[in-house]
């Protein structure tokens, strides 16, 4: 089987090591062998990016806009094939995979337009005769480190603004999902990226990731992944004064009030907690339900879950694909055991099931009789596992929702304008959802969280420029 190569300094480069990319729906299906870069190759990529920066940062916005638009268009033209590859390597269903590929294309198109909207300020000085201007410069070489659960959308929402604002890129995707990253790199090359401006270095976090984070020629690091890795990156970046941005875990609450429309509540809970196999940082893992609707809600969720098809991600009719790998499956099972030993009641799911192909199939697990201090309600599980927490009223629901170290996304299902408005004002989260699932966002507005979920400026939309540029204040004696 041919090895898929890294893209370094304008060349597709071989490595002495490679890793098999395995389909979680069918472990006999090897998608490909993907080269693992070593420290030396990572350093070459960083050097190439540094050398390319001087020219690239001076290219006009027209050229950058056209390049991003071409990348976006090729992605959209190939969304079906990209979606298939994504679903095959990550395990989300084909409609979800195609949807994510489409999103990646839209993001590149958005930043193709956004770069033409760069603004600054020109203002009078407090000193007579002087004029002051405030403009934005690119930051330099950026290291982009991404997780496995959105293999093309997250790379897109980092690479597109990085390039748009004149930075050079060293991109390290997650080890588990190199296929989508490699396909994206091929498109970026095909669209005509100049040598050294964009580099793909697939490989391990401990070698490739750590080399990027610690390298003095990396001016800024944008990271999405787990809290533990994020903390390590923060410590190392601070020690050498590099700029960084972290998007990490969640333990997102969805409040269901007595006055909720039951169908909307069930839909939000099922979509938010279990679709994409629950492997979303914005997944609703805590369902906080007032007592008047509690039993009806639990019965309806259980009934709906029993109709969902858990099977091969590429099979038509599948609602929920497999868990991404054995390690994640072990973690999900461990937490299902922890929940039961803590006294939570497993209402349904949490069973390993066999399908025609050998994959990591787990039925969606729903707990009731849980309290917010249980480990299953405090620690991110990152699988198809959700808990119901019964509460007396809205005030208690809000207090429980905010009682977490995380603060990414939070939702409420209610027909009350009063509670919806109060929730939007007082929920301690970066994103607040009313009558829509906690997962599922637009690409033209900021994305990110508070507390332990995020650090640094927001990603996506116009807000992305905060991270990918640095401000210059200039004084001119006219
Ligand atoms: P992870 O932290 O294990 O890995 C993320 C990336 O960091 C990978 O590319 C990995 O190789 C790299 N890495 C690992 N060790 C490193 C090191 N020492 N130095 C530099 N890089 C290193 O996370 P994961 O398991 O791939 O992803 C799941 C996590 O991502 C979950 O916690 C989820 O909540 C989070 N996530 C957050 C968001 C968000 O926007 N908040 C979005 C998606 C996923």
């Amino acid at each position: 089987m041919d090895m898929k190569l890294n893209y370094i300094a304008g060349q597709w480069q071989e490595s002495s090591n490679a890793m098999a990319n395995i389909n979680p729906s069918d472990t006999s299906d090897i998608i490909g062998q993907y080269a693992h870069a070593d420290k030396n190759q990572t350093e070459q990529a960083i050097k190439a990016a540094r050398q390319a920066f001087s020219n690239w940062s001076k290219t006009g916005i027209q050229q950058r806009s056209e390049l991003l638009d071409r990348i976006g268009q090729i992605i959209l033209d190939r969304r079906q094939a990209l979606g298939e590859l994504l679903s095959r390597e990550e395990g989300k269903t084909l409609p979800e995979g195609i949807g994510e590929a489409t999103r990646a294309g839209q993001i590149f198109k958005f930043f193709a337009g956004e770069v033409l909207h760069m603004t600054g300020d020109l203002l009078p000085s407090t000193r007579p005769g002087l004029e002051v201007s405030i403009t934005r410069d690119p930051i330099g070489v950026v290291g982009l480190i991404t997780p496995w659960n959105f293999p093309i959308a997250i790379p897109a929402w980092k690479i597109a603004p990085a390039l748009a604002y004149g930075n050079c890129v060293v991109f390290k995707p997650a080890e588990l999902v190199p296929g989508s990253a490699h396909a994206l790199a091929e498109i970026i090359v095909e669209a005509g990226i100049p040598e050294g401006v964009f580099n793909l270095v697939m490989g391990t976090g401990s070698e490739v990731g750590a080399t990027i984070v610690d390298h003095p020629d990396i001016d800024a690091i944008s990271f999405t992944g787990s809290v533990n890795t994020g903390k390590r990156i923060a410590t190392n970046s601070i020690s050498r004064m590099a700029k960084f941005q972290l998007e990490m875990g969640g333990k997102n609450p969805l409040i269901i009030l007595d006055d909720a429309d039951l169908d909307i509540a069930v839909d939000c809970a099922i979509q938010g907690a279990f679709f994409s196999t629950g492997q979303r940082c914005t997944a609703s893992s805590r369902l906080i339900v007032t007592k008047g609707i509690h039993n009806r809600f639990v019965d309806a969720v259980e009934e709906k879950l029993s109709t969902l098809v858990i099977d091969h991600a590429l099979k038509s009719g599948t609602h929920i694909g497999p868990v991404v790998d054995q390690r994640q499956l072990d973690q999900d099972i461990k937490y299902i055991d922890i929940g039961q030993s803590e006294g939570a009641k497993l209402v349904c799911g949490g069973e390993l099931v066999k399908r025609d192909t050998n994959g990591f199939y787990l039925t969606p697990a729903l707990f009731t009789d849980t309290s917010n201090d249980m480990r299953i309600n405090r620690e991110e599980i990152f699988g198809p596992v959700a808990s119901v927490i019964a509460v007396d009223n809205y005030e208690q629901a809000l207090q429980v929702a905010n009682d977490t170290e995380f603060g990414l996304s939070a939702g409420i299902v209610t027909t009350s304008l009063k509670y919806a408005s109060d929730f939007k004002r007082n929920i301690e989260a970066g994103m607040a959802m009313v009558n829509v699932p906690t997962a599922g966002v637009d690409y033209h507005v900021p994305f990110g969280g508070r507390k332990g979920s995020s650090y640094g400026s927001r990603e996506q939309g116009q807000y992305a420029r905060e991270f990918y540029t640095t401000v210059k204040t200039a004084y001119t004696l006219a």
Side-chain angles (χ1 to χ4, degrees):
M1 194 177 276
D2 285 347
M3 194 193 289
K4 300 278 187 188
L5 307 182
N6 283 303
Y7 190 70
I8 298 168
Q11 305 289 327
W12 292 102
Q13 281 199 20
E14 287 189 13
S15 297
S16 42
N17 287 324
M19 204 166 125
N21 185 0
I22 297 166
N23 179 349
S25 300
D26 174 3
T27 54
S28 69
D29 176 25
I30 309 295
I31 297 155
Q33 295 289 338
Y34 288 79
H36 264 199
D38 57 17
K39 188 171 197 298
N40 185 31
Q41 286 182 308
T42 310
E43 286 171 347
Q44 273 180 45
I46 296 169
K47 189 170 168 208
R50 172 59 58 203
Q51 283 170 351
F53 178 64
S54 155
N55 280 342
W56 177 246
S57 58
K58 294 184 189 70
T59 50
I61 53 173
Q62 184 66 31
Q63 185 184 335
R64 299 207 297 263
S65 172
E66 285 173 10
L67 176 74
L68 290 171
D69 191 62
R70 278 199 297 278
I71 297 169
Q73 193 56 52
I74 302 175
I75 296 173
L76 292 178
D77 292 345
R78 293 187 198 154
R79 65 178 93 180
Q80 178 78 28
L82 289 167
E84 271 176 35
L85 173 62
L86 195 165
S87 296
R88 195 172 155 212
E89 72 174 348
E90 199 270 351
K92 62 182 68 168
T93 65
L94 184 57
E96 289 172 331
I98 295 170
E100 189 184 326
T102 305
R103 171 59 56 101
Q106 290 164 335
I107 290 168
F108 275 95
K109 291 254 176 189
F110 173 83
F111 283 104
E114 191 59 20
V115 67
L116 303 176
H117 293 135
M118 279 293 271
T119 55
D121 289 312
L122 183 65
L123 46 157
S125 165
T126 52
R127 290 171 282 166
L130 276 176
E131 197 176 73
V132 187
S133 67
I134 303 165
T135 53
R136 287 178 179 271
D137 290 339
I139 4 177
V141 178
V142 295
L144 308 179
I145 300 177
T146 56
W148 50 262
N149 66 327
F150 283 93
I152 197 162
I154 293 179
W157 82 52
K158 295 184 192 295
I159 296 167
L163 296 176
Y165 297 122
N167 303 287
C168 291
V169 167
V170 178
F171 164 44
K172 191 207 104 55
E175 296 89 315
L176 273 180
V177 289
S180 300
H182 190 272
L184 178 59
E186 284 180 327
I187 290 172
I188 293 172
V189 173
E190 184 181 329
I193 194 89
E195 181 180 318
V197 173
F198 169 84
N199 300 271
L200 170 73
V201 276
M202 301 174 287
T204 62
S206 55
E207 185 164 12
V208 177
T211 304
I212 292 173
V213 172
D214 294 337
H215 202 286
D217 268 332
I218 294 282
D219 299 293
I221 297 134
S222 180
F223 165 82
T224 302
S226 63
V227 174
N228 283 345
T229 313
K231 281 185 178 160
R232 183 175 307 141
I233 289 178
T235 308
N236 292 5
S237 304
I238 284 176
S239 72
R240 63 176 191 86
M241 307 276 217
K243 186 175 184 180
F244 63 97
Q245 160 188 78
L246 311 171
E247 286 298 342
M248 299 168 289
K251 199 69 207 171
N252 309 290
L254 176 71
I255 296 175
I256 317 278
L257 296 187
D258 285 354
D259 65 25
D261 176 314
L262 187 63
D263 290 340
I264 294 179
V266 170
D267 191 52
C268 285
I270 295 214
Q271 282 211 34
F274 301 116
F275 280 18
S276 297
T277 323
Q279 298 172 151
R280 293 188 285 198
C281 50
T282 48
S284 333
S285 46
R286 292 184 299 142
L287 308 171
I288 303 168
V289 187
T290 47
K291 285 186 175 147
I293 196 171
H294 178 276
N295 292 354
R296 278 185 296 138
F297 171 77
V298 170
D299 290 348
V301 170
E302 192 185 349
E303 193 186 322
K304 179 80 190 180
L305 284 177
S306 69
T307 67
L308 297 184
V309 177
I310 290 88
D311 207 331
H312 196 297
L314 294 175
K315 232 185 205 176
S316 144
T318 294
H319 296 108
I320 297 177
V323 171
V324 73
D325 71 351
Q326 186 65 49
R327 203 177 63 151
Q328 183 61 50
L329 187 64
D330 291 344
Q331 174 159 316
D332 298 345
I333 300 282
K334 181 187 90 180
Y335 274 104
I336 290 165
D337 289 346
I338 289 173
Q340 287 173 299
S341 66
E342 285 178 313
K345 181 175 161 202
L346 184 63
V347 175
C348 61
E351 286 162 352
L352 292 173
V353 282
K354 291 216 178 303
R355 293 295 179 254
D356 293 345
T357 49
N358 182 37
F360 307 109
Y361 297 108
L362 178 66
T363 56
L366 182 69
F367 280 113
T368 58
D369 300 78
T370 80
S371 63
N372 200 42
D373 55 4
M374 290 179 175
R375 281 184 67 190
I376 50 168
N377 286 325
R378 302 218 75 83
E379 298 166 21
E380 186 183 50
I381 302 172
F382 218 56
V385 184
S387 319
V388 176
I389 305 170
V391 290
D392 292 330
N393 50 36
Y394 167 73
E395 288 73 22
Q396 194 190 357
L398 181 69
Q399 184 271 322
V400 169
N402 282 334
D403 178 15
T404 169
E405 68 182 73
F406 297 106
L408 187 55
S409 183
I412 189 166
V413 185
T414 179
T415 50
S416 155
L417 179 62
K418 179 179 144 205
Y419 290 135
S421 305
D422 188 86
F423 174 80
K424 283 190 281 183
R425 270 194 300 276
N426 293 308
I427 191 71
E428 296 162 7
M431 295 175 290
M433 311 292 190
V434 177
N435 294 326
V436 282
T438 55
V441 295
D442 287 0
Y443 61 85
H444 67 306
V445 288
F447 176 95
R450 297 185 184 176
K451 302 201 275 190
S453 289
S454 302
Y455 187 93
S457 50
R458 289 283 189 270
E459 299 202 82
Q460 300 202 64
Q462 198 187 62
Y463 285 66
R465 77 165 64 157
E466 204 50 53
F467 183 74
Y468 291 100
T469 63
T470 180
V471 167
K472 181 178 283 158
T473 311
Y475 297 83
T476 309
L477 182 59

